Amino acid sequence: MNMAQKLLVCRFPRPDAKIRLVFFPWAGGGAAYYINTGRNFLETIEVWGICLAGREGRFKEPPCNSLSDVLEELVTGVYNVCKDKPVAFFGHSLGAILSYETAMRLKARYNTEPVRMFVSGISAPQSELKKQAKRKYDTSKFTDDEFIEFLRKLNGTPVEVLNNKELMSLFLPSLRADYSLINQHDCDKLPPLDQRLTCPVDIFDGVDDVEHDLEGWREITTGPSTIQKLPGAHFYLKDPENMGRLVQHMTDSLR
């Protein structure tokens, strides 16, 4: 198995699909949750999930703490897998940032970009709120216990996992690595208009999540954009009804 096959996972292959939809994971997440939704899309859409080192099928690999290295792997892997068909990106939280940076590098390096972007659960990369959150949640200074309490408040990790020290010792390295990627990300300002994305961008968030600069996401593209909030907090998309709404929206958008 080559590196691209490790990085990108597809549970429901559709050789005749017209478009590939690539899901980028939240911090500590992998491909499994997303690729299971592949069965719910039209036959014209093939769903792929990103699996970074240190989790799921790549659990034996040490997690990567370098944002530049992760992005290099993503750009190369996504291009090699998706260069023969149109591709769309969905990213939640850390995944939204990774999907944006991957899209920008694809545009700069290969003169190609996604036909549509779906971003969720985080402020726009260039926004002041994003910079404030980065300073406020600098998890590199947290002890393991403080980090676990931080995760508990996000309400995305099962309580039985958080309360199990043995399990958490397995998951902490990838979680800490992913949050270090967030802390490394800087975007003081967006590039000139002629260097920005041109595809439509759909922006999502949970109504009960902390405040995010969603309007700022409109600025990453010269194309159209929409904003929609769904019931729930940061991990609103784990609710089956909300995921169903997302699947329906993406299906309709990618027809």
Side-chain angles (χ1 to χ4, degrees):
M1 183 181 294
N2 61 37
M3 188 52 67
Q5 290 172 319
K6 291 182 180 180
L7 176 70
L8 283 129
V9 185
C10 179
R11 182 155 292 168
F12 299 98
R14 291 172 174 171
D16 297 326
K18 295 180 180 179
I19 190 168
R20 292 189 173 111
L21 174 59
V22 178
F23 284 89
F24 290 72
W26 56 74
Y33 180 78
Y34 289 131
I35 60 175
N36 282 330
T37 68
R39 62 165 69 90
N40 301 326
F41 283 86
L42 293 176
E43 290 295 320
T44 54
I45 301 171
E46 185 177 67
V47 170
W48 290 72
I50 296 288
C51 181
L52 299 178
R55 67 215 73 195
E56 296 177 355
R58 303 180 65 186
F59 188 79
K60 292 183 179 180
E61 297 177 46
C64 185
N65 293 281
S66 165
L67 179 60
S68 61
D69 288 350
V70 167
L71 289 173
E72 182 60 31
E73 181 185 20
L74 287 171
V75 173
T76 303
V78 170
Y79 179 73
N80 286 336
V81 168
C82 301
K83 60 186 175 183
D84 62 330
K85 287 184 181 180
V87 62
F89 290 171
F90 177 96
H92 175 71
S93 199
L94 168 64
I97 297 298
L98 294 179
S99 70
Y100 168 70
E101 293 294 345
T102 300
M104 292 300 293
R105 283 159 174 76
L106 285 171
K107 185 178 179 72
R109 187 180 303 180
Y110 301 110
N111 194 31
T112 186
E113 63 178 274
V115 295
R116 200 170 191 111
M117 295 275 291
F118 305 97
V119 294
S120 168
I122 197 169
S123 292
Q126 80 286 4
S127 68
E128 184 57 36
L129 269 181
K130 168 78 163 48
K131 296 167 189 172
Q132 290 174 11
K134 178 180 172 179
R135 292 191 292 268
K136 184 177 180 182
Y137 301 117
D138 183 1
T139 58
S140 65
K141 300 175 183 177
F142 289 4
T143 65
D144 283 352
D145 287 342
E146 289 170 338
F147 189 74
I148 290 170
E149 285 309 305
F150 167 73
L151 296 174
R152 196 184 300 275
K153 290 175 183 177
L154 289 178
N155 200 30
T157 308
V159 175
E160 57 269 24
V161 175
L162 290 170
N163 292 339
N164 187 316
K165 289 188 176 182
E166 187 175 344
L167 272 179
M168 284 307 297
S169 69
L170 298 175
F171 292 129
L172 274 176
S174 59
L175 281 160
R176 280 197 172 278
D178 284 3
Y179 274 97
S180 77
L181 302 182
I182 297 174
N183 291 334
Q184 290 169 54
H185 183 256
D186 285 310
C187 182
D188 290 332
K189 61 179 181 179
L190 295 175
L193 285 174
D194 62 352
Q195 296 175 30
R196 297 185 195 182
L197 301 174
T198 61
C199 63
V201 175
D202 297 313
I203 305 131
F204 297 91
D205 209 0
V207 294
D208 298 320
D209 202 350
V210 298
E211 182 186 2
H212 291 137
D213 180 357
L214 304 181
E215 287 289 336
W217 279 106
R218 295 185 187 273
E219 300 172 9
I220 71 167
T221 185
T222 57
S225 58
T226 65
I227 293 177
Q228 185 176 349
K229 287 194 171 186
L230 296 174
H234 187 60
F235 283 101
Y236 73 92
L237 73 172
K238 285 192 171 185
D239 179 273
E241 289 189 12
N242 282 337
M243 196 64 209
R245 294 184 182 106
L246 289 173
V247 168
Q248 188 62 56
H249 178 93
M250 288 186 277
T251 298
D252 292 342
S253 302
L254 297 174
R255 284 183 187 276

